Amino acid sequence: MRENPWFEIDDPDDEFGFDETERAFAAALRTSAASWTVPYAHSWIGRPDDDSTLLAVVALSDDHARVSLVDVGVHLGGSTVRGDRLHNQLYFLPDRPTGLAMEATGSPQELGERAAAWFEAILRKPIVRHEWEHAGQLYARRYLFADTGEGLCQSYNQNLAPKGQPKSLIAAGHVVGRGWVQTSGLDRPHRVVAIRGNAPA
């Protein structure tokens, strides 16, 4: 297990802008995280683009495939901390809470400890990658939490997929946005690869 200095300051200038509550929260979060025995993940503390709150982030990824899976994090505002999946560029919380959402009120010490427990629980969740192949080439993959089945991210290459499959999936409604074919319409994957933790049997 590689050494990970959890929740370093992303931008040194931010640290000088933290108030006493934010500094106490960050210290409690780092103290709790120091005892974790979980697989590596990139983490940092900073502020979102609007500078409205203190922000602590953990970014989960598939390092082998160089794929970013999901960013989770907490926003501290006064005596309240809220956490959930984050926008992958702006780091805002979603308008509608997901199954990962948390919220707590209390002292900076209590909030730091609560946030740390929430992060640790997510870091311990098993993640798997489902893979689909055709003619010896990988054409689709989907990442998900193995314990809940909650999807993280996916990809689908129409050029490598079996002939006629993309049209069938689109006709069945397995498409979003500007023609992004969804892996939800595919049959059982050819392989399930463990990415983090131990998937349930």
Side-chain angles (χ1 to χ4, degrees):
M1 190 170 302
R2 63 194 281 191
E3 182 180 351
N4 185 12
W6 295 100
F7 302 109
E8 291 188 325
I9 302 297
D10 182 53
D11 182 347
D13 289 340
D14 284 339
E15 188 167 16
F16 297 107
F18 291 161
D19 61 27
E20 184 177 348
T21 295
E22 292 171 332
R23 288 193 295 271
F25 169 86
L29 177 60
R30 288 194 198 97
T31 298
S32 294
S35 64
W36 290 348
T37 56
V38 296
Y40 171 82
H42 178 61
S43 66
W44 52 273
I45 287 179
R47 293 196 185 279
D49 280 354
D50 63 2
D51 290 330
S52 59
T53 61
L54 179 142
L55 172 68
V57 177
V58 166
L60 298 177
S61 62
D62 179 353
D63 292 337
H64 178 73
R66 297 184 179 180
V67 175
S68 175
L69 304 181
V70 65
D71 292 332
V72 294
V74 297
H75 285 245
L76 174 71
S79 61
T80 300
V81 66
R82 296 175 59 219
D84 207 332
R85 296 175 69 144
L86 300 174
H87 186 283
N88 66 354
Q89 294 176 331
L90 302 176
Y91 301 106
F92 294 151
L93 294 163
D95 293 332
R96 295 182 179 179
T98 74
L100 296 178
M102 67 85 74
E103 183 170 349
T105 59
S107 69
Q109 176 74 27
E110 292 169 334
L111 294 180
E113 292 171 355
R114 288 284 299 276
W118 179 77
F119 277 121
E120 184 180 14
I122 292 175
L123 286 163
R124 292 191 181 282
K125 289 172 71 67
I127 296 176
V128 294
R129 182 179 68 230
H130 289 187
E131 298 181 344
W132 289 266
E133 282 188 350
H134 174 66
Q137 296 192 77
L138 184 69
Y139 72 89
R141 59 188 176 186
R142 177 170 65 225
Y143 292 88
L144 56 149
F145 285 126
D147 56 345
T148 62
E150 180 180 356
L152 301 176
C153 65
Q154 62 182 324
S155 63
Y156 182 88
N157 188 326
Q158 298 189 37
N159 296 324
L160 299 179
K163 186 177 180 179
Q165 186 188 74
K167 288 185 178 179
S168 297
L169 292 173
I170 292 170
H174 298 289
V175 62
V176 297
R178 300 180 178 179
W180 292 99
V181 177
Q182 302 296 290
T183 58
S184 56
L186 298 177
D187 293 331
R188 292 172 63 91
H190 295 102
R191 274 187 308 279
V192 177
V193 181
I195 302 302
R196 289 179 64 91
N198 297 315

